[in-house]
Amino acid sequence: MGEVTQILKSMERGEGSAAGELLPLVYDELRRLAAFKLSQEKPGQTLQATALVHEAWLRLASPALEGRSFKGRRHFFSAAAEAMRRILIDRARHKGNQRRGGSLERVELDALEVAAPLPDEQLLALNDALDELVRLDPEAAELVKLRFFVGLSHGDAAEMLGLSRSTADRTWVFARAWLFKRIRMQ
C-alpha cells in the first residue's frame, strides 16, 4: 500500500494530523496538473495554478466533508480533478453571467482539442453535457475529466482509471461521440 493510500486511510479513521501529512505528498503533482491546465487557457486568465490547487484542496479537505473517505490514490486524484473542474466551471459561469447574461452558445465537439482553451460559453455547454454523461457512463465521464480538465495524457488517464489502453481508446471514442451528439442537440 502506497504512502498516499496509508494517509488517506488515516484520514478516514479521523486522525487529525493525516491531512497535514497528505498535502506535501500530493501538492507538487496537483500543482503540475493545475499549471498544465491553466497554461492551456486563454491569455488573461487571472487564476493561478497555486490558487486552483489551494481552492481544490479546500474543497477536498473541507470540514463539511469530514468522514468522507478516499479509496486510494486514484480516488483522491479523481476527486481532485472533479474539484478543479467545478472551480473552473463556477468561474466560467460567473464570467458569463457578468458579461453576457449567462447565455450559452453551441459548441462543435470535433473542434475541441484535449486541454485546449475554450470560451466560457463552450466550457459551460461541455460541462452540462458531461454532467449527463456521468449518469450514463461514469467511467467515460471520468476519462474525459482527467484528459480535458486535468490535462493528463491518454496513457496516464487510462492508468489512473485502471483501464487497458484498448479499453481507454474505446471509451474515449464513445465519450467524444456522445458529447458531440449531446452538445449538437442543445
Side-chain angles (χ1 to χ4, degrees), residues 86-101:
R86 291 188 182 278
I87 291 163
L88 293 172
I89 294 302
D90 289 347
R91 288 178 59 84
R93 281 191 177 128
H94 181 73
K95 284 181 189 177
N97 287 339
Q98 286 180 331
R99 284 191 263 155
R100 290 181 262 308

Side-chain angles (χ1 to χ4, degrees), residues 42-101:
K42 295 187 303 186
Q45 175 64 257
T46 58
L47 186 63
Q48 299 293 320
T50 302
L52 181 57
V53 169
H54 290 187
E55 195 167 334
W57 177 257
L58 289 174
R59 289 185 183 198
L60 291 170
S62 167
L65 298 177
E66 279 186 21
R68 177 179 180 181
S69 63
F70 297 103
K71 295 177 180 100
R73 180 183 178 85
R74 172 184 163 200
H75 186 219
F76 174 78
F77 279 100
S78 292
E82 179 67 16
M84 287 182 192
R85 176 179 83 98
R86 291 188 182 278
I87 291 163
L88 293 172
I89 294 302
D90 289 347
R91 288 178 59 84
R93 281 191 177 128
H94 181 73
K95 284 181 189 177
N97 287 339
Q98 286 180 331
R99 284 191 263 155
R100 290 181 262 308

Side-chain angles (χ1 to χ4, degrees), residues 16 27 44 82 158-159:
Y27 184 82
E82 179 67 16
E159 182 181 330

Side-chain angles (χ1 to χ4, degrees), residues 137-169:
D137 189 337
E139 187 173 67
E142 193 63 31
L143 182 63
V144 172
K145 290 176 196 175
L146 290 173
R147 292 211 49 214
F148 188 82
F149 288 99
V150 178
L152 291 180
S153 70
H154 190 63
D156 288 345
E159 182 181 330
M160 184 73 70
L161 293 173
L163 300 175
S164 70
R165 182 64 182 221
S166 60
T167 299
D169 290 342

